[in-house]
Amino acid sequence: MMILFLFTKFLLTVNVQALSLTGHTGGAVIMKCGGYDVHRYINNRKYLCKASGQVCSTSIIVDNGGTPAQDKRFSLHDYKMEGNFMVLITQLTPADSGTYKCVVENATISRPADITLTVKTGPWQSTTISRLLEESFQIICTFPEAYKERQKYVCHHQRKLTCSKLIKSVTQRRQIHMLSNVSVSVTLDQLTAEDAGDYWCGVKAAVGESITMISRTQIIIGPDTSSSTTSSWSTSSPSVLSRLYVAAPFCPFCI
């Protein structure tokens, strides 16, 4: 595939908006791209590529057309009913810093944007736990004071990537409670196999719809409930790191 033609052939846009996004070393970000005309381009291939000037380079390309990403830390999720797509980038390093372009093959993106990612040292925590089917767990998402006015999210990634705003809500299997303007309790009850995977606490970028992740909790649905490991590093106070609690069985939650 001739990647050098992507910008001129596929990215037919004008007045491209420049957006900025911050990620933390070892952490993750979600880049949101959109929107495209679902009636015309719903089945067109979607890309995220790292740019060199005004041209997409060959260093990174992600698409949803059956071609895997060159870097397995990248995954693209196309939301065809909404006319947008998101790319999750994990295990960030300073080398990931740079400008990225959203591309819909042979189409014009109505809200074009170059997303400039800056990866720096910052608060980050990763936790892995095991639970049995029908058990419960709870995450306390705690954010730095600098993000207290930002919209906050919890995202679940297994085969699909779904994000929910962290606002107070109660459903049959879930509870979200605002403990403060920087701390949110998220509870998931009656676990099923589909609940396994990664849960990310994140905040919306200052401009645009992309998300900076602050912490990750991986849940493994299996027979061993004693396994629990945590690794974290931060240049800030430990109070900004997410804490994990075992939930009472009566707390309903479902993402």
Side-chain angles (χ1 to χ4, degrees):
M1 183 181 294
M2 295 297 295
I3 307 304
L4 294 179
F5 289 108
L6 280 176
F7 181 76
T8 56
K9 183 178 179 181
F10 299 145
L11 191 61
L12 307 177
T13 60
V14 294
N15 298 323
V16 176
Q17 183 181 12
L19 304 178
S20 61
L21 178 64
T22 299
H24 300 142
T25 302
V29 294
I30 292 175
M31 293 185 178
K32 186 171 182 179
C33 302
Y36 60 85
D37 187 336
V38 296
H39 300 292
R40 299 176 62 188
Y41 307 124
I42 190 170
N43 293 318
N44 292 42
R45 299 175 75 182
K46 283 63 173 198
Y47 300 86
L48 178 80
C49 61
K50 195 172 185 180
S52 176
Q54 293 298 309
V55 179
C56 289
S57 71
T58 58
S59 59
I60 294 175
I61 180 169
V62 183
D63 70 36
N64 65 327
T67 304
Q70 295 174 356
D71 190 327
K72 303 304 181 184
R73 300 174 301 125
F74 290 67
S75 60
L76 187 149
H77 304 266
D78 189 8
Y79 301 88
K80 295 184 176 181
M81 298 304 294
E82 301 175 11
N84 61 58
F85 59 97
M86 296 194 295
V87 177
L88 172 66
I89 310 174
T90 64
Q91 301 175 41
L92 291 170
T93 71
D96 294 319
S97 297
T99 299
Y100 295 79
K101 294 182 180 295
C102 301
V103 183
V104 178
E105 189 175 63
N106 296 326
T108 298
I109 298 179
S110 62
R111 298 191 301 275
D114 287 353
I115 303 174
T116 299
L117 173 64
T118 301
V119 179
K120 61 184 181 180
T121 302
W124 172 251
Q125 175 172 294
S126 179
T127 302
T128 300
I129 63 171
S130 295
R131 289 291 183 269
L132 293 173
L133 292 172
E134 301 297 325
E135 287 192 337
S136 305
F137 81 100
Q138 182 186 60
I139 302 170
I140 304 296
C141 294
T142 304
F143 302 91
E145 281 287 333
Y147 296 140
K148 65 181 180 180
E149 302 299 331
R150 301 270 191 92
Q151 175 64 60
K152 301 169 181 64
Y153 295 88
V154 61
C155 299
H156 177 215
H157 183 224
Q158 193 186 56
R159 289 181 295 272
K160 298 180 179 179
L161 176 64
T162 58
C163 293
S164 301
K165 292 182 179 180
L166 285 176
I167 56 176
K168 183 178 180 180
S169 64
V170 177
T171 67
Q172 183 179 0
R173 295 180 56 224
R174 73 177 182 185
Q175 288 187 350
I176 299 177
H177 292 292
M178 311 302 294
L179 305 180
S180 70
N181 57 4
V182 294
S183 185
V184 185
S185 168
V186 181
T187 306
L188 178 62
D189 190 33
Q190 300 175 3
L191 294 173
T192 70
E194 293 299 314
D195 296 322
D198 294 327
Y199 291 82
W200 309 83
C201 299
V203 294
K204 183 179 175 181
V207 179
E209 300 295 325
S210 296
I211 302 174
T212 297
M213 302 305 187
I214 301 300
S215 65
R216 165 188 171 269
T217 299
Q218 180 187 42
I219 180 167
I220 300 171
I221 308 298
D224 181 11
T225 60
S226 63
S227 174
S228 180
T229 59
T230 301
S231 61
S232 62
W233 55 93
S234 173
T235 57
S236 305
S237 167
S239 64
V240 304
L241 299 177
S242 294
R243 295 162 289 168
L244 182 68
Y245 297 85
V246 177
F250 59 81
C251 297
F253 185 83
C254 176
I255 294 181

